[in-house]
């Protein structure tokens, strides 16, 4: 069925891929059954890095498929970044998943930069012999490339270094989202329980609603999720209303305080005018008194 003896499914890498919606699953399955698997699956050694859904459906129906290696992927971190870019470029990926992927890419790039800075700090100050071969970049998590030590053609050039995502705006641009959306997705990613995240991934809860629910304690989030999508939406509405209410009350109190201040000023002005009039009357009376 395949031109490779084994294909390894890396669970950590598979997590970068959103499950297909039912209609997408049906369309892909029908296409594979009618036309076969026209696009090759991409491997890193034996690890599958692109084509998880096609591999699953081809295996289910006994449909032949081809595989190709991507020799430019040198480390597990290279694989992660490459897979993220592949997913970010697909229109079928949800807004939430694109935001999560872009945030994960930022974390990977920050970790890579920190590792390189640490390596530079620990490097000897002596000048390296120009004739000595450059050391290969260490692999992430201690994993060597699957073909390390094998003979054959010269190794392919590594992938170019991605641009850093050093601001929320840069993350938003990479995900094709607004900065406000990225901020909400970041809150969900950091604070939401698995049940709430699952609801967003399934499309039963909006990003805005999930960000509101994510501000609640984990127990309340889990209880709302267990009650169903409608309860989650109601909880999100109550949270948003509760946040808006204090602002409205503050505005009302400020208006009342402003009204009190204006009335007080008017009363003060009236009192001063009366006092001024009384002083004028007294001065006029003194002027009319004959000298002794």
């Amino acid at each position: 069925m395949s031109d490779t003896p084994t294909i390894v499914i890396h669970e950590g890498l598979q997590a970068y891929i959103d499950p297909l919606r039912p209609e997408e699953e049906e369309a892909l399955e029908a296409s594979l059954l009618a036309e076969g698997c026209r696009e090759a699956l991409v491997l890193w050694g034996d690890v599958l890095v692109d084509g998880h859904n096609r591999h699953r459906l081809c295996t289910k129906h006994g449909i032949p498929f081809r595989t190709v290696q991507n020799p430019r992927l040198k480390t597990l971190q290279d694989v992660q970044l490459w897979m993220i870019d592949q997913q970010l470029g697909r229109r079928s990926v949800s807004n939430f998943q694109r935001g999560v992927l872009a945030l994960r890419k930022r974390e990977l790039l920050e970790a890579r930069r920190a590792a390189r800075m640490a390596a530079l700090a620990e490097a000897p100050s002596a000048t390296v012999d120009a004739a000595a071969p450059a050391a290969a970049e260490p692999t992430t998590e201690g994993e060597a490339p699957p073909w390390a030590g094998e003979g054959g053609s010269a190794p392919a050039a590594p992938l170019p270094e991605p641009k850093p995502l050093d601001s929320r705006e840069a993350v938003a641009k990479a995900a094709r989202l607004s900065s406000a959306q990225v901020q909400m997705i970041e809150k969900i990613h950091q604070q939401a329980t698995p049940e709430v995240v699952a609801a967003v991934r399934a499309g039963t809860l909006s990003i805005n609603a999930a960000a509101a629910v994510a501000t609640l304690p984990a127990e309340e989030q889990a209880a709302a999720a267990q009650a169903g999508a409608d309860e989650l939406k109601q909880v999100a509405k109550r949270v948003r209303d509760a946040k808006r209410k204090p602002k409205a009350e503050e505005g009302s109190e400020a208006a009342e305080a402003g009204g009190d201040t204006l009335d007080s000023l008017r009363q003060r002005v009236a009192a001063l005018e009366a006092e001024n009039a009384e002083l004028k009357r007294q001065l006029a009376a003194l002027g009319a008194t004959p000298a002794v």
Side-chain angles (χ1 to χ4, degrees):
M1 179 173 62
S2 167
D3 57 6
T4 188
T6 58
I7 289 183
V8 177
I9 306 299
H10 192 297
E11 291 185 3
L13 297 178
Q14 191 176 18
Y16 291 165
I17 303 168
D18 256 355
L20 294 176
R21 294 190 292 270
E23 62 273 17
E24 293 173 334
E25 176 93 4
E26 292 176 7
L28 178 58
E29 191 167 19
S31 173
L32 291 170
L33 288 169
E35 305 172 13
C37 188
R38 295 179 297 176
E39 189 176 353
L41 311 184
V42 182
L43 303 178
W44 183 59
D46 289 339
V47 178
L48 183 62
V49 297
D50 188 55
H52 289 76
N53 292 312
R54 283 176 284 132
H55 174 260
R56 174 174 50 80
L57 292 173
C58 285
T59 303
K60 173 184 176 181
H61 294 289
I63 301 172
F65 56 85
R66 296 178 297 109
T67 63
V68 295
Q69 292 284 341
N70 188 337
R72 301 185 73 186
L73 304 176
K74 306 299 182 183
T75 69
L76 180 60
Q77 194 177 73
D78 287 342
V79 174
Q80 292 170 313
L81 291 169
W82 182 84
M83 286 186 66
I84 287 173
D85 285 341
Q86 291 291 109
Q87 294 299 308
L88 288 175
R90 289 175 176 159
R91 289 178 295 178
S92 60
V93 177
S94 67
N95 286 348
F96 176 71
Q97 180 69 348
R98 284 206 308 274
V100 171
L101 289 168
L103 291 169
R104 177 58 177 149
K105 182 176 181 179
R106 181 183 68 182
E107 293 171 1
L108 288 167
L109 292 176
E110 288 175 351
R112 173 179 282 192
R113 181 178 179 276
R116 287 180 175 172
M117 294 295 290
L120 287 174
E122 295 174 1
S125 56
T127 303
V128 178
D129 186 352
E137 180 185 353
T139 56
T140 302
E141 300 178 11
E143 291 195 24
W147 47 81
E150 297 179 0
S153 59
L159 294 170
E161 183 66 17
K163 293 181 179 179
L165 302 180
D166 49 8
S167 68
R168 183 171 289 150
E169 289 72 22
V171 174
K173 184 177 180 180
R176 305 197 308 277
L177 300 171
S178 68
S179 296
Q181 286 175 306
V182 169
Q183 186 175 15
M184 288 188 289
I185 291 170
E186 194 168 14
K187 181 181 292 184
I188 297 166
H189 187 54
Q190 294 173 349
Q191 298 174 219
T193 61
E195 297 87 351
V196 174
V197 172
V200 183
R201 288 186 182 278
T204 58
L205 191 65
S206 69
I207 292 172
N208 189 297
V213 175
T215 62
L216 297 173
E219 298 79 8
E220 294 183 31
Q221 293 185 46
Q226 189 174 6
D230 289 340
E231 178 61 20
L232 274 172
K233 293 173 185 176
Q234 289 300 317
V235 168
K237 184 178 184 302
R238 288 196 291 270
V239 171
R240 290 194 292 256
D241 289 346
K243 288 182 178 180
R244 283 194 290 263
K245 188 175 180 181
K247 293 181 181 179
E249 290 176 351
E250 288 173 8
S252 175
E253 290 172 0
E256 290 176 3
D260 291 344
T261 302
L262 184 59
D263 289 341
S264 299
L265 287 173
R266 286 172 177 167
Q267 293 172 8
R268 180 61 176 159
V269 169
L272 289 173
E273 288 177 346
E275 184 179 347
N276 189 42
E278 176 63 20
L279 288 172
K280 286 181 178 179
R281 186 189 66 77
Q282 292 178 6
L283 286 172
L286 289 172
T289 303
V292 178

